[in-house]
Amino acid sequence: DTGVSQDPRHKITKRGQNVTFRCDPISEHNRLYWYRQTLGQGPEFLTYFQNEAQLEKSRLLSDRFSAERPKGSFSTLEIQRTEQGDSAMYLCASSPPVRGGLEQFFGPGTRLTVL
Amino acid sequence: RKEVEQDPGPFNVPEGATVAFNCTYSNSASQSFFWYRQDCRKEPKLLMSVYSSGNEDGRFTAQLNRASQYISLLIRDSKLSDSATYLCVVSLSHNAGNNRKLIWGLGTSLAVNP
């Protein structure tokens, strides 16, 4: 399967714990995005990479959230000291360099539950 | 006012019906427009881009009215498999380069009934 993959698919953690999610984009895609989605809402933009450079972070991304894409390939999203409000689906998307990278291809998401 | 607003839904229609979704956007500088489809507990997938001249893909027709800042999606002869949430997506010019951020609507839920 050459689509966007995310790991893990599900994560249950206790409040206060740290969690890390991984995203592997489609190989030739240079842009990578992280979103958060809760039930009944559209995806909320969190952050965006072009190659290894993190070009934008949403105001939603508190200092407990950090994302990296060290070699311009896979990316990780870490949440420190998780809170119940962090429970959501975390979606990763990638896009190719053509057409300004507007068409985004999503991974299956990581569903986080914070108890 | 939200940057992208959609019909609240949900829409419940019988098979074979024609259904239309509307979406308005607030930023007149918006440059590109899309409809994505999201099945329950699945990731969003691009359904179609929306071009200024309007475009059609089989039973789906998308239209853009820049003057009114309005986008629509029409589904004809709806099928059970069309049941999903339809998300209106708008891009804003992020900077002078090609980096553009997508702004997502909340989505409109469609249920096609037998």
Side-chain angles (χ1 to χ4, degrees):
Chain A
D1 186 352
T2 56
V4 178
S5 61
Q6 291 187 245
D7 183 69
R9 296 289 304 277
H10 303 273
K11 179 70 177 178
I12 300 173
T13 191
K14 292 182 179 178
R15 189 175 53 186
Q17 298 295 305
N18 300 343
V19 294
T20 300
F21 308 143
R22 176 178 170 127
C23 171
D24 287 87
I26 295 171
S27 59
E28 63 269 23
H29 288 187
N30 64 336
R31 291 179 168 86
L32 186 147
Y33 307 80
W34 284 99
Y35 293 88
R36 180 173 65 189
Q37 187 175 26
T38 53
L39 195 64
Q41 304 292 314
E44 293 178 297
F45 171 80
L46 293 178
T47 190
Y48 153 67
F49 290 86
Q50 181 167 315
N51 300 311
E52 67 276 8
Q54 187 174 19
L55 298 185
E56 185 173 355
K57 288 175 63 173
S58 166
R59 290 188 302 273
L60 294 173
L61 218 63
S62 75
D63 57 5
R64 297 185 297 106
F65 289 70
S66 62
E68 294 183 343
R69 194 183 183 197
K71 299 181 180 178
S73 56
F74 73 91
S75 175
T76 57
L77 176 69
E78 181 183 15
I79 309 174
Q80 296 182 326
R81 305 181 303 282
T82 52
E83 301 172 357
Q84 287 185 324
D86 297 332
S87 296
M89 175 74 87
Y90 289 83
L91 293 162
C92 174
S94 69
S95 62
V98 297
R99 294 188 67 230
L102 292 180
E103 182 173 340
Q104 298 185 5
F105 297 81
F106 283 81
T110 295
R111 184 169 298 279
L112 173 66
T113 302
V114 182
L115 301 176
Chain B
R1 182 182 174 186
K2 292 182 179 175
E3 291 179 280
V4 177
E5 292 197 74
Q6 296 187 235
D7 281 349
F11 284 62
N12 285 281
V13 303
E15 269 188 289
T18 296
V19 60
F21 302 140
N22 302 319
C23 172
T24 57
Y25 58 95
S26 61
N27 192 326
S28 59
S30 300
Q31 297 189 19
S32 299
F33 311 89
F34 307 89
W35 284 101
Y36 274 71
R37 170 193 169 130
Q38 186 170 24
D39 292 295
C40 186
R41 294 187 170 269
K42 299 286 189 180
E43 70 275 19
K45 293 185 179 178
L46 180 67
L47 178 65
M48 58 197 305
S49 303
V50 186
Y51 303 121
S52 296
S53 55
N55 48 301
E56 186 174 309
D57 182 2
R59 297 181 294 108
F60 298 83
T61 301
Q63 294 197 314
L64 167 65
N65 184 322
R66 285 190 184 271
S68 301
Q69 296 180 200
Y70 169 94
I71 308 154
S72 66
L73 176 68
L74 185 76
I75 305 176
R76 291 181 299 278
D77 188 23
S78 53
K79 311 291 185 190
L80 296 176
S81 58
D82 294 334
S83 297
T85 296
Y86 291 83
L87 296 152
C88 175
V89 187
V90 171
S91 82
L92 300 174
S93 179
H94 176 63
N95 58 28
N98 285 331
N99 302 333
R100 296 177 188 171
K101 189 170 86 172
L102 296 184
I103 308 297
W104 295 70
L106 297 183
T108 301
S109 176
L110 171 66
V112 181
N113 305 307

